[in-house]
Amino acid sequence: MNPVRVRFAPSPTGPLHIGGLRTALYNYLLARRTGGTFILRIEDTDQKRYVEGAEDYIMEALEWCGISPDESPRKGGNYGPYRQSERRDIYARYVKELLDNGSAYLAFDTEEELTERREQEKAAGNHNFRYDASTRDSMRNSLSLSEEETKALLEAKTPHVVRFRIDPGETVSFTDTVREEVSFQSNELGDQVLMKADGLPTYHLANIVDDHLMEITHVIRGEEWLPSTALHVLLYRAFGWEAPVFAHLPLLLNPNGKGKLSKRKGADLGFPVFPLEWNDPVKEETFAGFREDGYLPEAVVNFLSLLGWNPGTEQEIFSLEELTQAFSLDRITKSGARFDIEKGKWFNQQYLIATDDAVLAPLVLEQFAAAGHTIDLPKATTITGLLKERVHLLPEFVSNGSYFVGPVTEYEEKPIRKKWKPDNRAAFNEMADDLTALSDWSAATIKETVVAFMGRHELGFGAVLPIIRVAVSGSVQGPDAFEILEAVGREESVTRLRKGYDAFDAIKAA
């Protein structure tokens, strides 16, 4: 395939949904696969819905995932500006071209007039009023008014919009890479507004003009835009331009497979649907992000890549480079992809396990610092190595390893009731004394000392290790007991053993 030019074109009306991030990823992969160009274009023509901070959020999310654009509002490029709000004069020229060739017309209907007409249609039994070939002649526009009337309205600076003229009775067909041949009837399309009264274009016009001028070869976007594509194809024809290749991605579905994945569903079920945490400045709500919940960006990218794309093999773990080499549009699936957050956690665990302890440790250090624990990097590296195969998310290093940085406050009672024998208290005090005397506090030496103690008292591992584990960590679960002791330290370990014996006696006596 020749080098492509693709774009990701979000609107800064809120945070970047995880489905949007997948769209950006697929565009990025195709660009890298073909040696092409990945563009970020901000479609901010809807100024009423513009949200402060949303654009920066989008850019930060892409950077966090490692899918940086080649051209963007920040990086620039030869096809800018890359914000639609800065391209107003460009759109005006192309609107004039459509007006001149008869593909568009001026409409002076006020919101009140449009509302009144809709109500009249409802009263007559038509609940789907559409401004189109069947109704435009009865509305106030340059097709229904005389040239003099239209001129007078313009001279009076009467607010107006520009609508696209769609003729009925035509079948609009195009080829979609994912869905193959798609057809719509022009009778189903209304005369969409192309330029609003404020002089800014609607999505439909700006999208087509920008894609053409930026020489976009492939439009990869969500399934929700499929119904609009017929209008876009007609706009390309009206301009006499060649349309790009279209590929409409399947929806991301809620975990139960029903309905489009929503932020509310994510909040209700306790998982993020945004790459980064989002603090809504309008509604003053906070929504979780994959980054803040403790996911690695590489794991998120790998997880997302397989939600709607099939590599055709059994391979599941892909680096970004491997995804680039394997990706192709013809392996994108048609059906919606169920968002299985447990699978996402599994991916994250695989990446935690595969990441070198020294690389992962600074992230673990940050987690402990955020929880109010001060530890050094060597300690964080040790904890990382001991726990990374037992956690799925970064915060679990703290919740599962709190005993590495603080005293044990609760004990798992079941193993104590089963294993602790108060008559053995004197023997276990002896073991604590033996450990106190060690000069080499390493897991190997600790094990040798404990094994020697067990031999003297004819005790097996099943009678001793649960006691050590619960006393030092509070639970029988966790990494190797002797490595726990080494990481906790000699003085603190012995203190916990003796304190634990007292607690175990009390539990047995209760």
Side-chain angles (χ1 to χ4, degrees), residues 243-502:
V245 175
F246 293 104
H248 288 89
L249 308 179
L251 293 175
L252 291 185
L253 304 176
N254 288 316
N256 62 5
K258 299 178 181 179
K260 183 179 177 181
L261 179 67
S262 69
K263 64 181 181 182
R264 293 297 175 192
K265 179 62 71 173
D268 290 345
L269 297 178
F271 63 82
V273 297
F274 302 124
L276 316 178
E277 183 179 86
W278 171 250
N279 298 303
D280 192 322
V282 178
K283 298 181 179 179
E284 298 184 345
E285 294 178 290
T286 297
F287 293 92
F290 275 86
R291 181 179 65 182
E292 289 73 19
D293 272 19
Y295 289 82
L296 299 180
E298 301 86 353
V300 173
V301 166
N302 196 157
F303 172 49
L304 278 182
S305 70
L306 297 173
L307 293 177
W309 171 77
N310 186 339
T313 66
E314 296 299 315
Q315 182 177 349
E316 289 190 283
I317 303 299
F318 289 86
S319 67
L320 190 56
E321 179 59 33
E322 289 172 326
L323 283 173
T324 297
Q325 295 303 316
F327 185 77
S328 64
L329 291 177
D330 58 6
R331 298 209 66 87
I332 295 175
T333 60
K334 295 180 182 179
S335 57
R338 186 171 65 87
F339 194 80
D340 182 356
I341 194 62
E342 295 306 316
K343 188 68 173 182
K345 290 179 181 178
W346 178 85
F347 272 107
N348 204 60
Q349 183 183 45
Q350 303 312 302
Y351 277 85
L352 290 175
I353 292 171
T355 303
D356 186 84
D357 294 352
V359 174
L360 196 55
L363 298 178
V364 175
L365 186 68
E366 289 178 2
Q367 294 294 322
F368 277 98
H373 301 292
T374 302
I375 60 174
D376 57 23
L377 191 56
K379 179 98 172 188
T381 305
T382 298
I383 295 172
T384 298
L386 291 175
L387 292 183
K388 70 178 186 179
E389 294 191 9
R390 300 174 177 275
V391 302
H392 291 85
L393 305 174
L394 286 172
E396 293 173 9
F397 279 98
V398 178
S399 59
N400 291 11
S402 60
Y403 55 86
F404 286 115
V405 295
V408 177
T409 57
E410 295 183 4
Y411 300 99
E412 188 179 348
E413 291 193 13
K414 185 176 180 180
I416 297 310
R417 294 188 182 281
K418 184 177 180 180
K419 297 292 185 179
W420 178 248
K421 295 178 173 51
D423 291 344
N424 286 341
R425 174 68 183 265
F428 276 96
N429 281 336
E430 180 185 317
M431 183 183 71
D433 292 338
D434 292 344
L435 293 174
T436 301
L438 284 180
S439 58
D440 174 20
W441 190 256
S442 66
T445 305
I446 296 168
K447 183 176 182 179
E448 289 176 3
T449 303
V450 172
V451 169
F453 158 77
M454 290 163 52
R456 291 197 304 272
H457 293 274
E458 298 182 346
L459 295 171
F461 278 109
V464 176
L465 287 189
I467 302 304
I468 293 176
R469 283 184 174 280
V470 178
V472 178
S473 71
S475 171
V476 293
Q477 305 298 320
D480 180 84
F482 304 111
E483 291 183 336
I484 292 177
L485 288 167
E486 179 183 342
V488 170
R490 179 177 56 191
E491 183 177 346
E492 179 64 18
S493 292
V494 172
T495 297
R496 292 186 189 182
L497 286 171
R498 298 190 190 281
K499 179 183 175 183
Y501 302 158
D502 291 337

Side-chain angles (χ1 to χ4, degrees), residues 202-272:
T202 60
Y203 165 82
H204 303 292
L205 175 72
N207 173 274
I208 298 307
V209 170
D210 288 345
D211 282 351
H212 173 72
L213 295 181
M214 293 182 182
E215 299 182 8
I216 300 303
T217 62
H218 292 67
V219 170
I220 306 170
R221 59 190 180 189
E223 179 182 295
E224 63 270 22
W225 293 111
L226 186 61
S228 299
T229 308
L231 169 62
H232 298 168
V233 169
L234 289 174
L235 276 167
Y236 277 108
R237 291 181 187 175
F239 282 118
W241 298 337
E242 182 179 353
V245 175
F246 293 104
H248 288 89
L249 308 179
L251 293 175
L252 291 185
L253 304 176
N254 288 316
N256 62 5
K258 299 178 181 179
K260 183 179 177 181
L261 179 67
S262 69
K263 64 181 181 182
R264 293 297 175 192
K265 179 62 71 173
D268 290 345
L269 297 178
F271 63 82

Side-chain angles (χ1 to χ4, degrees), residues 106-168:
L106 308 178
F108 299 92
D109 317 275
T110 65
E111 285 298 322
E112 292 75 16
E113 289 171 337
L114 290 170
T115 299
E116 182 181 354
R117 179 60 184 270
R118 291 190 192 97
E119 293 302 319
Q120 290 174 353
E121 294 290 333
K122 284 182 183 179
N126 176 20
H127 294 274
N128 296 300
F129 167 74
R130 189 161 51 215
Y131 205 123
D132 59 16
S134 67
T135 59
R136 68 170 78 112
D137 287 344
S138 60
M139 307 299 290
R140 279 206 311 153
N141 56 66
S142 57
L143 298 179
S144 63
L145 301 172
S146 68
E147 187 174 335
E148 290 75 17
E149 289 172 316
T150 299
K151 183 178 179 181
L153 288 170
L154 289 175
E155 289 177 348
K157 299 187 183 305
T158 305
H160 61 276
V161 300
V162 177
R163 289 184 178 272
F164 188 50
R165 179 175 180 169
I166 297 180
D167 295 325

